[in-house]
Amino acid sequence: MHTGQSIVCLSALVALCLESAKAAVVTSNPQASVDLKCRHDARDIQPHHFGVWPPPQEITETGCGIRLNGDVTIVTGDTADEPTISLIKTIVTSAGGKATVSTKPTGKGTQILVGTGAENSFAADAAQELTGQAATDLDAEGYVLATGKVDGQLSVVLNGVDTRGAFYAAQTLRQLVDDRSGVPGIQARDWPLMPVRGSIEGFYGIPWSHEARLDQFVLYGQHKMNTYIYTPKDDELLRRRWRELYEGDDLDKLQELVDTANANHVDFTFALSPGNDLCYSSEDDFNATVAKFDQLRDLGVQRFYIALDDIPTDGFHCDSDDDKWPHDQEWHWLADAQACYLNRVQQEWIEKHGLDALETVPTNYAGSQPDPYKDRFGTQLDKKVRIQWTGEGVFSPNVTVESVVRAGETYVTDTLFFWDNFPVNDGDFSRLFLNPLTEPANGPVYDAKASMDEALRELAGRDEDVHEALVAFVDLNQNWPYREPEIFAPALSKDIQEFWAAREKGGGGPLRERLQLLMKLPELLSRMDMKGFATDVEPWSTAAMQWAKACQHLVAMLEALDEGDKTKADEEYGEAKAWVKKTEEKTVETLDREGNPDSYAPNVGDGVFESFLGDATAVYEGTG
Ligand SMILES: *[C@@H]1O[C@H](CO)[C@@H](O)[C@H](O)[C@H]1NC(C)=O
Ligand SMILES: *[C@@H]1O[C@H](CO)[C@@H](O)[C@H](O)[C@H]1NC(C)=O
């Protein structure tokens, strides 16, 4: 921005504020040992020991468990939220029960009372009776979940402060009941610490597949993430051809995405990027913008976004803009034009249709230091428009309260929200970044390691071999270069260190075992629950397998040298080099910044395999 060229943009997949949204769990399966006993001494257990991810803010085991494997009445009042009711039905059915829906209590069987206070006074009254407090005063999307007897009837209460809160209560129930025929005696109060939680598909390269997006919306709903921002840089109808409407298959797919997002209580946010050739003052372009938005609004989208990142900053694209906003003040011409256009969309279209406030990312979207563009943009912009920002850098290792407060002042806004470019790889397509989210913008009950462990369990599924393989694979992709201290394949590094230290004494068992496991990676990962993950990482899992084979030959070469068998050593070294050669194949397919096909060799192991090769080669060549 300051040099007058377009900002280098590496924007991509973003974990927005993942505050209440960590998928994660404990190494041992805590659910296996839980039966439906009574607990009379209400006592706190660590929130993440209940197998609910993210862990609720407050959760206590108390009173008796309730079985759901008989007749269960779902008492709804006026609650009509289909995703919530069908989720509860599924929970009851998978616990072995028979669910019936009724607007009022029936006095029969076990009951699940669900809804907000306004929709279902039975649920709010029961929450009050069982816990002393209904959900009324909680922050948006909060809920109370409680079990106990209400009017003598065994009851589970799912009382949301709003509709989404009730849905989240049902998601918590799902995890509490998982693997059991009922729910333990529980009282929980939960609420998100951040209002926007989810991801932004805003990277360069091949966009996510339709199937990947659908899978993600389910996962977001299960883990209380409420936002998906659709803005892949390589959807031409968002950028280069933004004025054209969607049609045919593209439109059908968008409809399915919006429906699936809505069914999982995820706000599908449509983000247009017209800035490469937009004429800010043009009536035609304003009309084209709202015509495009109208098309998405017809599909059920409620939230809209105009992205102004990664656009040329050397001038306008039409004479009318040049006339209207002469280049007389440093960057004011651009900020004024952008604010004028955004304000018009907010005031003449968003407000007319009663939609959520417009969102935007400014052209200069990073840092909290003042500059003329940021100040002017924020000053001119309608105060309702929400501004997204990537922190102190394009990749920000952390976000501090001080920095957010300063950025709010710099951008003259109260609506700043964070665009986290972790773990985006469009700055290095050869890499995967599979390390835990350790940024400090997390709540008190968040535990990066526990969360990571659970995420891997969920992705892997129940097969222990598959889980072990996934853990070993993830270890090979731990280096996130934007954060200190840098970490390099820690478990592999440890085994290699041990190998060198113990080689004389015939050690190195752990390394040999790890290489055996890595050799089987492609096959084991293909059996993961989340099949799409295995498919997406195939170039890297294959390269890891090839490196493992190479390293096995290097180990055999070293043994042959120790035994004085030079012929065998030569042979093994040759085999090793042949496997290393295979890792250099460009199997990662992507697109360059112009959208043309491009490919890279996968980079796996954080450089640790290469070091081992170097050290082994030094021994082979007699210099080690
Ligand atoms: C833009 O749309 C409005 C409302 O539909 C219409 O009145 C106006 O003529 C359009 N302007 C142009 C330049 O097409
Ligand atoms: C945030 O990251 C920066 C850059 O790595 C570092 O200098 C700073 O100490 C970090 N601050 C906190 C609070 O972690």
Side-chain angles (χ1 to χ4, degrees):
M1 178 90 205
H2 300 286
T3 57
Q5 73 219 7
S6 75
I7 291 169
V8 180
C9 185
L10 306 155
S11 45
L13 152 70
V14 177
L16 294 177
C17 316
L18 284 166
E19 191 39 31
S20 173
K22 281 61 213 199
V25 170
V26 204
T27 335
S28 64
N29 184 347
Q31 288 139 8
S33 63
V34 177
D35 57 21
L36 301 177
K37 287 196 294 262
C38 299
R39 196 183 273 288
H40 296 291
D41 53 331
R43 80 187 162 99
D44 289 326
I45 302 175
Q46 283 300 313
H48 62 261
H49 286 150
F50 286 90
V52 179
W53 302 94
Q57 306 289 351
E58 294 171 5
I59 183 165
T60 310
E61 197 174 344
T62 177
C64 300
I66 294 182
R67 294 196 181 280
L68 297 174
N69 56 359
D71 284 330
V72 177
T73 308
I74 303 170
V75 179
T76 58
D78 295 331
T79 305
D81 186 54
E82 180 51 35
T84 303
I85 294 169
S86 67
L87 173 59
I88 300 171
K89 283 186 196 160
T90 309
I91 294 167
V92 171
T93 310
S94 41
K98 185 170 169 298
T100 318
V101 176
S102 166
T103 55
K104 292 196 209 92
T106 60
K108 286 194 232 91
T110 298
Q111 61 181 355
I112 298 179
L113 306 151
V114 61
T116 65
E119 293 161 341
N120 188 356
S121 59
F122 304 112
D125 292 349
Q128 175 84 35
E129 188 181 324
L130 292 174
T131 73
Q133 251 181 321
T136 333
D137 297 327
L138 290 175
D139 288 345
E141 304 185 351
Y143 64 89
V144 172
L145 183 154
T147 55
K149 279 198 173 164
V150 176
D151 294 334
Q153 203 178 347
L154 285 176
S155 305
V156 179
V157 182
L158 308 174
N159 177 211
V161 67
D162 48 27
T163 304
R164 191 165 283 170
F167 175 71
Y168 287 163
Q171 288 292 1
T172 294
L173 180 67
R174 176 185 63 81
Q175 295 180 80
L176 288 168
V177 171
D178 198 23
D179 281 358
R180 289 177 288 237
S181 55
V183 54
I186 287 284
Q187 288 190 8
R189 286 172 76 78
D190 195 12
W191 61 92
L193 297 180
M194 292 196 191
V196 182
R197 310 171 304 278
S199 76
I200 174 165
E201 184 179 347
F203 50 83
Y204 291 93
I206 298 170
W208 283 334
S209 69
H210 186 61
E211 202 48 57
R213 293 178 185 135
L214 296 174
D215 286 352
Q216 290 191 54
F217 299 162
V218 174
L219 189 100
Y220 298 173
Q222 288 174 341
H223 298 290
K224 306 185 176 90
M225 287 181 262
N226 62 7
T227 299
Y228 166 76
I229 302 176
Y230 178 76
T231 189
K233 293 279 191 283
D234 286 288
D235 175 348
E236 291 207 341
L237 292 178
L238 289 177
R239 283 170 82 82
R240 200 169 66 74
R241 293 159 52 210
W242 67 271
R243 295 178 185 82
E244 295 172 37
L245 297 181
Y246 290 96
E247 51 186 42
D249 191 40
D250 289 343
L251 194 58
D252 294 344
K253 281 188 171 151
L254 275 171
Q255 179 72 73
E256 194 185 359
L257 290 181
V258 174
D259 290 347
T260 307
N262 288 339
N264 289 282
H265 279 281
V266 172
D267 295 325
F268 184 99
T269 307
F270 181 78
L272 196 66
S273 294
N276 280 313
D277 64 359
L278 173 72
C279 180
Y280 293 99
S281 58
S282 149
E283 180 81 6
D284 275 340
D285 273 358
F286 175 78
N287 282 7
T289 305
V290 302
K292 189 73 169 253
F293 280 180
D294 270 325
Q295 190 182 31
L296 275 294
R297 195 172 61 88
D298 287 345
L299 301 183
V301 175
Q302 292 281 310
R303 193 168 288 182
F304 293 86
Y305 185 124
I306 292 173
L308 298 170
D309 55 326
D310 297 10
I311 61 173
T313 52
D314 47 3
F316 286 127
H317 311 291
C318 61
D319 294 342
S320 62
D321 282 359
D322 283 330
D323 294 345
K324 194 163 176 187
W325 295 290
H327 290 224
D328 55 358
Q329 292 258 20
E330 205 187 359
W331 298 113
H332 286 189
W333 54 277
L334 184 63
D336 285 352
Q338 292 179 338
C340 173
Y341 165 74
L342 294 171
N343 289 351
R344 207 175 157 198
V345 174
Q346 167 66 26
Q347 290 156 10
E348 294 180 28
W349 188 79
I350 296 277
E351 285 173 24
K352 182 173 124 195
H353 294 293
L355 299 164
D356 297 335
L358 182 67
E359 297 176 350
T360 188
V361 62
T363 305
N364 185 1
Y365 52 74
S368 65
Q369 74 285 5
D371 78 21
Y373 167 85
K374 290 173 182 167
D375 182 68
R376 186 69 168 202
F377 181 82
T379 306
Q380 298 295 310
L381 193 64
D382 186 308
K383 287 292 157 238
K384 290 190 223 51
V385 177
R386 301 165 66 176
I387 301 178
Q388 202 172 15
W389 163 81
T390 60
E392 293 299 340
V394 174
F395 291 92
S396 297
N398 55 42
V399 189
T400 62
V401 171
E402 191 195 357
S403 154
V404 171
V405 169
R406 196 169 53 229
E409 287 163 10
T410 305
Y411 284 96
V412 203
T413 182
D414 294 328
T415 62
L416 202 66
F417 66 120
F418 180 45
W419 173 323
D420 186 355
N421 267 320
F422 172 81
V424 174
N425 77 341
D426 65 0
D428 184 354
F429 283 117
S430 71
R431 287 287 325 274
L432 288 180
F433 301 109
L434 302 178
N435 42 318
L437 183 73
T438 53
E439 280 147 85
N442 285 306
V445 295
Y446 175 67
D447 175 329
K449 184 180 180 308
S451 188
M452 183 73 183
D453 289 347
E454 171 59 10
L456 298 182
R457 287 209 166 265
E458 275 193 37
L459 293 175
R462 282 164 196 277
D463 187 323
E464 258 322 305
D465 293 343
V466 173
H467 177 249
E468 195 192 0
L470 180 60
V471 170
F473 177 65
V474 163
D475 174 68
L476 302 178
N477 300 279
Q478 288 293 299
N479 178 252
W480 176 242
Y482 311 97
R483 189 175 298 147
E484 308 260 318
E486 286 196 68
I487 292 167
F488 304 91
L492 173 66
S493 300
K494 182 166 169 278
D495 288 351
I496 287 180
Q497 257 171 24
E498 189 272 352
F499 172 84
W500 289 118
R503 198 164 78 85
E504 319 279 85
K505 298 170 231 126
L511 178 62
R512 282 167 227 260
E513 279 167 36
R514 182 171 298 276
L515 296 176
Q516 277 294 334
L517 178 63
L518 296 179
M519 256 177 50
K520 291 182 282 184
L521 271 186
E523 191 271 317
L524 285 171
L525 296 187
S526 74
R527 285 158 40 198
M528 288 171 67
D529 268 12
M530 188 61 84
K531 299 270 175 269
F533 179 96
T535 312
D536 287 350
V537 304
E538 237 168 52
W540 291 271
S541 60
T542 302
M545 174 273 283
Q546 292 162 338
W547 269 114
K549 296 250 195 203
C551 292
Q552 284 181 323
H553 286 293
L554 293 172
V555 169
M557 175 274 286
L558 293 167
E559 282 170 356
L561 286 183
D562 290 348
E563 286 157 15
D565 187 344
K566 183 74 171 76
T567 315
K568 175 128 198 305
D570 290 345
E571 220 173 87
E572 295 290 351
Y573 189 73
E575 294 277 350
K577 294 291 277 190
W579 280 107
V580 172
K581 188 91 199 135
K582 287 186 211 277
T583 68
E584 291 159 14
E585 254 177 77
K586 293 187 174 182
T587 53
V588 179
E589 307 284 343
T590 184
L591 302 171
D592 67 16
R593 288 295 155 100
E594 279 70 53
N596 301 311
D598 201 0
S599 59
Y600 292 82
N603 183 346
V604 69
D606 298 340
V608 174
F609 289 126
E610 286 86 342
S611 299
F612 185 67
L613 171 66
D615 292 344
T617 301
V619 175
Y620 176 69
E621 290 172 350
T623 59

